[in-house]
Amino acid sequence: MHLGAPKVTVTIACKGHTTEQAVAYTTQDGTAKAGIDFTAASGKLVFAPGTESLEVDLVGNSSGNPGNFEVILTDTTDDPGETGGGGCSSKDKDGILAGATVSILPVSDDDHAGVFSFGAASYEVCESEKTTSVAVERTGGLHGDVTVHFTTRDETATGSIDYGVVDEILTFKHGEMVKMVVLDIVDDESYEKEETFQCVLSDPTGGSTLNSQTDGGAEAEITVVHIMSDETQKKFTDSILLLMNVNRDRVKIGHNNWKSQFVAAITVNGGADGVVQPSEWALHLIALPWKLFFAMIPPTDFAGGWVCFGVALIFIGFVTALIGDMAALLGCVVGMKASTTAITFVALGTSLPDTFASMASAKMDRYADNSLGNVTGSNSVNVFLGLGLPWLIAAIYWDNASGATLEAWRGKYSEELPEVVEKFKHGVFVVPAGSLGVSVTTFVVTATVCLLTLGLRRFVVGGELGGPATSKYATSVFFVFMWLAYIVVSVTA
């Protein structure tokens, strides 16, 4: 098969048979490749009695690549013995070739200008190497002077920042087979993930072409250059991230989630769909500063959620202190006693968040454990930490008091609690007893009644929360009555 005659007729012979015979044929790559140098073909030939040969047309692609390919024959007759031992063969213009595999068909490159391609489908280069070379090859013919356009194209890497941009015409002289294009790689001496950019061949001239079977098709030839980060920098960064228990993928997700928190905060109802009523706009504008404030809390994707936990505690402490101060000021303005303000306004302001958290848990969870556990856990923190930690700090402070601070302490308690001043001459943290005994006793009694009620509901209704409307509303009214009873007894004591 020659460039001037890209089609060849192969004759398949089957002699000496007295019954119908079947032969399958298929082409197989040699040094010439299907789709580039010739068109792949396969089929089945049926020889009737008395028919000794059939012809098959095979087509070359005129790529100019020198090489060969084979035609494989397989006897598919049920009784191959009927071939009389003659078997099958083939012949072309050069004569008969015996055997099951036949016809080596040469493809010549006598006067072809060539086909341009890259030496590899992809290249890898370490950032610290600062340069890399890309091979542009001319195969299938070396006739005449030809040119091809070479350019670079961004993918994840950015031209002039991560690598040197190239845009030039490559000229191949007659008989020239390869050119090496040197690319500059920018080393910023910092760790980055793998980045890539493309090298592209286009617009061949002088009768040359591009390999249509690779990336880019007949219009362009493409290879990808992978810029790998310096291994030393990578190991150092990985070791730091390991010590910090940071996963890069989770950090990336965390940044996206953090951004979505702010988007949700400034969007009415936290979403962009649906009709928004005027009342919803009003509530959104009132709550917007607080939404933006709490959106600053990092999502749980960082350091296993510990960053979120720590920052959230700080934010909650700030808001709780603010609410407590505002409630105390309100009580002062309306003339309430400090003890009454503490169990009403301050308690409501600091406990309403727990109420909404319990309500959300009751709606979303199958069981009541989280909802009730939030209430009991919150009260445990208030009692053991809310009282214990401030008292511990105050006790340490007064135990080490001296000078003017100690004299001020003695002046305050010398008349009110002279026995304490006499006993603790170096100062001590003092909490005078008031009506706390009545208030605490009332709380313990009402809390015990509430817990017993929840336990009774499990046997009567079938669960601590919810149930039929009658029992549900009756329990709610009863609990509110318990709270009012606690307030009345504590205030009047």
Side-chain angles (χ1 to χ4, degrees):
M1 180 181 296
H2 300 279
L3 290 174
K7 181 188 293 186
V8 66
T9 299
V10 177
T11 300
I12 308 298
C14 196
K15 300 180 180 180
H17 61 90
T18 57
T19 61
E20 185 177 276
Q21 300 294 311
V23 175
Y25 69 91
T26 184
T27 55
Q28 178 175 289
D29 289 359
T31 56
K33 305 301 179 184
I36 300 175
D37 306 307
F38 69 93
T39 301
S42 62
K44 183 177 181 180
L45 301 175
V46 178
F47 292 84
T51 302
E52 295 187 349
S53 64
L54 293 173
E55 294 181 343
V56 177
D57 290 334
L58 300 176
V59 181
N61 288 347
S62 297
S63 68
N65 294 333
N68 57 72
F69 64 94
E70 296 180 324
V71 178
I72 306 299
L73 302 179
T74 304
D75 191 347
T76 60
T77 307
D78 291 338
D79 184 8
E82 291 294 334
T83 61
C88 298
S89 62
S90 92
K91 72 176 182 178
D92 62 7
K93 292 178 288 185
D94 300 320
I96 295 177
L97 300 175
T101 61
V102 297
S103 195
I104 296 178
L105 306 173
V107 182
S108 174
D109 63 344
D110 293 341
D111 56 359
H112 197 273
V115 179
F116 285 114
S117 61
F118 286 106
S122 63
Y123 292 84
E124 288 188 0
V125 57
C126 184
E127 193 176 69
S128 59
E129 294 176 11
K130 298 184 179 180
T131 61
T132 188
S133 297
V134 173
V136 179
E137 298 179 349
R138 177 189 184 187
T139 59
L142 306 173
H143 181 75
D145 295 348
V146 294
T147 65
V148 66
H149 189 196
F150 182 101
T151 57
T152 53
R153 182 190 299 168
D154 290 355
E155 283 191 344
T156 56
T158 303
S160 301
I161 297 177
D162 298 308
Y163 68 94
V165 176
V166 176
D167 187 350
E168 63 178 287
I169 301 297
L170 303 181
T171 300
F172 285 72
K173 299 295 184 181
H174 177 77
E176 189 175 4
M177 297 180 62
V178 62
K179 277 188 178 294
M180 303 301 295
V181 180
V182 179
L183 302 174
D184 294 326
I185 306 298
V186 178
D187 183 11
D188 54 13
E189 298 183 352
S190 63
Y191 176 73
E192 294 178 303
K193 64 181 181 179
E194 176 186 329
E195 296 175 312
T196 60
F197 67 94
Q198 295 180 352
C199 296
V200 183
L201 297 178
S202 61
D203 304 323
T205 64
S208 60
T209 59
L210 300 172
N211 192 341
S212 61
Q213 303 301 314
T214 57
D215 253 355
E219 301 299 323
E221 174 79 5
I222 300 173
T223 191
V224 178
V225 179
H226 299 258
I227 304 176
M228 317 300 291
S229 182
D230 182 74
E231 191 64 24
T232 303
Q233 290 286 344
K234 182 178 185 299
K235 288 181 178 179
F236 176 75
T237 304
D238 287 343
S239 64
I240 295 298
L241 292 177
L242 181 62
L243 291 174
M244 296 175 63
N245 191 28
V246 174
N247 181 289
R248 291 193 200 92
D249 294 331
R250 292 191 65 83
V251 168
K252 182 178 179 181
I253 295 172
H255 284 302
N256 292 334
N257 290 342
W258 208 343
K259 176 183 176 182
S260 67
Q261 289 179 184
F262 285 94
V263 173
I266 63 177
T267 306
V268 183
N269 291 332
D273 54 346
V275 178
V276 181
Q277 302 297 328
S279 59
E280 293 175 324
W281 270 110
L283 292 174
H284 170 71
L285 293 176
I286 294 172
L288 182 59
W290 296 106
K291 288 183 178 181
L292 293 174
F293 178 69
F294 283 102
M296 291 188 289
I297 299 177
T300 57
D301 304 279
F302 300 99
W306 287 105
V307 176
C308 174
F309 179 75
V311 176
L313 282 182
I314 296 173
F315 277 50
I316 291 172
F318 171 78
V319 174
T320 301
L322 180 63
I323 292 174
D325 289 345
M326 293 297 104
L329 289 174
L330 177 62
C332 181
V333 169
V334 298
M336 279 189 179
K337 293 190 299 182
S339 58
T340 303
T341 302
I343 63 174
T344 53
F345 293 126
V346 176
L348 280 174
T350 57
S351 297
L352 279 178
D354 296 329
T355 304
F356 289 115
S358 295
M359 180 182 67
S361 296
K363 288 182 177 181
M364 293 187 296
D365 293 347
R366 181 179 179 184
Y367 302 103
D369 298 30
N370 286 339
S371 182
L372 297 179
N374 177 69
V375 174
T376 56
S378 175
N379 281 278
S380 298
V381 170
N382 291 337
V383 173
F384 301 129
L385 294 183
L387 293 178
L389 285 179
W391 284 14
L392 174 63
I393 295 171
I396 294 173
Y397 174 80
W398 286 109
D399 188 57
N400 293 277
S402 61
T405 303
L406 184 57
E407 291 301 322
W409 177 84
R410 288 171 179 168
K412 179 178 181 179
Y413 293 112
S414 58
E415 295 183 2
E416 183 180 349
L417 299 169
E419 68 278 7
V420 174
V421 174
E422 181 65 25
K423 184 177 181 179
F424 300 98
K425 298 182 183 299
H426 298 289
V428 71
F429 177 46
V430 179
V431 182
S435 58
L436 187 63
V438 176
S439 179
V440 171
T441 302
T442 306
F443 171 77
V444 171
V445 171
T446 53
T448 302
V449 172
C450 288
L451 291 175
L452 291 174
T453 303
L454 292 175
L456 182 63
R457 280 177 52 88
R458 173 175 288 189
F459 298 99
V460 177
V461 182
E464 288 87 347
L465 302 179
T470 302
S471 61
K472 180 168 58 177
Y473 292 119
T475 305
S476 301
V477 171
F478 178 67
F479 283 173
V480 172
F481 171 76
M482 288 288 100
W483 177 72
L484 293 175
Y486 164 72
I487 296 296
V488 171
V489 172
S490 298
V491 170
T492 57

